[in-house]
Amino acid sequence: MAFILAVTGSAVGLGNIWKFPYLAGVNGGGAFVLVYLLCVFAIGMPVMMSEILIGRRGRRNPVATMALLGEEEGSTRHWRLVGGMGVLAGILILSYYSVIAGWTLAYTLKSASGAFSGASADQVGAAFAAFTGDWRLVALSHTGFMAITIFIVARGVERGLEQAVRFLVPALLVLLLALLGYAITSGHFVSGVAFLFTPDFDALTWDSGLAAMGQAFFTLSIGMGAVMAYGAYLPAETSITGTSAAVVLADTGIALLAGLVIFPLVFANALNPGEGPGLVFFTLPLAFGQMPGGDFFGTIFFVLLVFAAWTSAIGLMEPAVAWLVESFNRSRAQAAVMVGGLIWAVGFGTVLSFNLLDDLRFYKGTIFDNVDHLTSNVMLPLGGVFITVFAAWVMCRNSTAEELHGAGTMYRIWRFTARYVAPVAILFVFLKAVGLLPDLTAGG
Ligand code: PFF
């Protein structure tokens, strides 16, 4: 149970409530959502199972685990580089995750002070622009979020947060359902549902396909060794398949629910679904500002979101911290401060992406856009390829069958998807998106 709570805590976070709706909006809705769901089940499930089984078999941090198993399974210790890429991905992701979590922290205070009550769409939009436009405020809230994260990881009170997840996820669910009720009465529920679930394949590009796949990895916390690091603590008798299925279903359900709340509100207030990273910070305050008791519910909602971000942030730091503790004999506190300090500093790239360096655009956009693209759409999927190839091709059948408890149908499905479906599909989407595969359809 503790393991399920930890992995669910890591999976459910800003990715579900902030990132999923904004990406679905930017990428045109239905077709994106469909590809995302396909990726979650056909790629996410086998990758998550592979990651947990590797973690449980190695029982070390991801770098040491990959090195050990690489050797044990008759391959090479160089597999540790996969663990190393995960450590780096965690650091890069948290560098921007913390900034967005900082926005959430600030919005908790704004909500509590009644700043949104009765506000119009223009006012909410102006408040967002004023806040993110002031780099000192953004830096302050990013610093606050990182400081508490470092404190939690240093003190090793993650256990407390695991207990919090027990309450957090159901509470988040209840509030989302209440918001869903509100969204249904907004009069634009049908347009929201239509936007989310009517696939328009003409609007789907390989780029948005890659974004959907990247989001599947991001939201499930897979491809970077976080789940592997947690797997190291999983008892031998627990079912990896059952655990993965529970986490995947809970995580996907919460993301879809968030989408069903956000888009009706977007259309009811004539906002732009393709607004970008600010989407949730436009729609939710507006909704809370209009509903009875909105200051109270808004505050609770943002508090829950901050907690959900903390349980994810811990997962993002875990590979790096566990690595420093086990391989460099650092105390947990030292490791937390070193890793957290680095993440805090790197985070300034994102802090400034929304204000002073807003105009600094290259490749995919701002610094934030590039860090996000590099991690979600490149590093995590690539990690997923290596992890499934390792588990299903390098590890011998006996090892994996032992971890997955036998050779039944579930085992065969896992092995088939991890051997063929996941790595091939990931590489295909990735190479298509970067234009390295020729277009064979007539007319190009
Ligand atoms: N899954 C988290 C979210 O959806 O917010 C983000 C995340 C957490 C990614 C932990 C990776 C990770 F290791």
Side-chain angles (χ1 to χ4, degrees):
M1 196 59 193
F3 176 80
I4 299 193
L5 289 173
V7 179
T8 309
S10 141
V12 174
L14 297 174
N16 305 63
I17 313 247
W18 160 73
K19 204 173 182 196
F20 173 71
Y22 111 64
L23 284 182
V26 169
N27 290 289
F32 172 91
V33 175
L34 192 68
V35 177
Y36 155 80
L37 289 174
L38 259 176
C39 290
V40 161
F41 292 103
I43 299 176
M45 246 328 256
V47 172
M48 180 171 290
M49 289 171 66
S50 306
E51 228 183 290
I52 302 177
L53 82 85
I54 292 174
R56 182 162 77 183
R57 211 164 174 80
R59 293 231 180 270
R60 284 163 179 74
N61 69 77
V63 182
T65 283
M66 292 305 290
L68 176 81
L69 294 188
E71 198 165 43
E72 222 172 73
E73 298 286 342
S75 181
T76 134
R77 292 184 66 83
H78 289 315
W79 282 99
R80 68 173 185 272
L81 293 174
V82 177
M85 184 167 78
V87 167
L88 187 64
I91 290 171
L92 288 174
I93 293 176
L94 188 49
S95 82
Y96 77 77
Y97 200 83
S98 164
V99 175
I100 312 298
W103 295 1
T104 317
L105 202 55
Y107 267 61
T108 308
L109 303 178
K110 277 186 199 287
S111 227
S113 71
F116 301 123
S117 76
S120 67
D122 287 345
Q123 286 166 329
V124 171
F128 180 78
F131 170 68
T132 53
D134 186 339
W135 74 270
R136 285 158 305 186
L137 289 178
V138 180
L140 186 69
S141 49
H142 160 61
T143 306
F145 182 84
M146 267 325 287
I148 301 176
T149 305
I150 293 172
F151 181 76
I152 296 172
V153 174
R155 293 281 305 268
V157 289
E158 288 98 330
R159 294 274 158 252
L161 275 186
E162 259 159 44
Q163 292 312 310
V165 177
R166 231 181 247 277
F167 158 82
L168 181 72
V169 172
L172 204 55
L173 208 60
V174 168
L175 265 186
L176 280 172
L177 286 173
L179 279 170
L180 183 68
Y182 179 79
I184 290 174
T185 60
S186 71
H188 288 73
F189 189 63
V190 176
S191 4
V193 174
F195 181 79
L196 266 182
F197 295 112
T198 315
D200 169 10
F201 289 104
D202 291 338
L204 191 68
T205 61
W206 285 106
D207 247 348
S208 48
L210 179 62
M213 187 170 81
Q215 172 62 9
F217 277 86
F218 183 89
T219 192
L220 296 175
S221 308
I222 52 177
M224 54 152 281
V227 175
M228 197 187 290
Y230 286 159
Y233 305 108
L234 186 65
E237 63 280 3
T238 313
S239 157
I240 289 179
T241 317
T243 308
S244 306
V247 174
V248 167
L249 287 177
D251 187 80
T252 310
I254 291 188
L256 291 179
L257 203 52
L260 285 174
V261 166
I262 301 293
F263 287 104
L265 299 175
V266 166
F267 296 118
N269 293 289
L271 299 172
N272 170 16
E275 183 58 53
L279 187 67
V280 211
F281 295 92
F282 279 44
T283 43
L284 289 181
L286 201 53
F288 287 125
Q290 291 162 5
M291 69 178 67
D295 289 347
F296 177 72
F297 291 116
T299 310
I300 309 244
F301 185 84
F302 282 114
V303 167
L304 291 176
L305 203 48
V306 171
F307 271 96
W310 267 318
T311 55
S312 298
I314 290 167
L316 285 161
M317 275 181 76
E318 190 56 31
V321 170
W323 181 51
L324 285 186
V325 170
E326 290 171 20
S327 303
F328 296 90
N329 281 321
R330 295 289 171 177
S331 71
R332 224 182 142 74
Q334 279 176 330
V337 171
M338 287 162 68
V339 174
L342 175 67
I343 291 171
W344 174 77
V346 177
F348 274 78
T350 294
V351 166
L352 302 179
S353 290
F354 296 92
N355 34 67
L356 297 184
L357 299 182
D358 196 4
D359 294 330
L360 177 66
R361 291 183 188 245
F362 54 99
Y363 192 46
K364 293 288 169 184
T366 60
I367 298 177
F368 159 70
D369 294 320
N370 281 290
V371 176
D372 179 30
H373 175 79
L374 175 69
T375 50
S376 297
N377 300 352
V378 182
M379 294 173 87
L380 298 186
L382 211 57
V385 171
F386 285 120
I387 286 164
T388 45
V389 164
F390 185 79
W393 290 96
V394 175
M395 287 177 77
C396 71
R397 220 190 168 99
N398 288 344
S399 316
T400 51
E402 194 184 326
E403 291 301 329
L404 296 179
H405 299 157
T409 317
M410 281 320 284
Y411 178 74
R412 264 182 259 125
I413 295 179
W414 168 76
R415 198 161 145 101
F416 180 77
T417 46
R419 278 200 141 195
Y420 305 102
V421 180
V424 173
I426 297 168
L427 284 176
F428 185 77
V429 174
F430 182 75
L431 293 176
K432 268 294 189 191
V434 295
L436 281 177
L437 282 187
D439 197 343
L440 297 176
T441 53

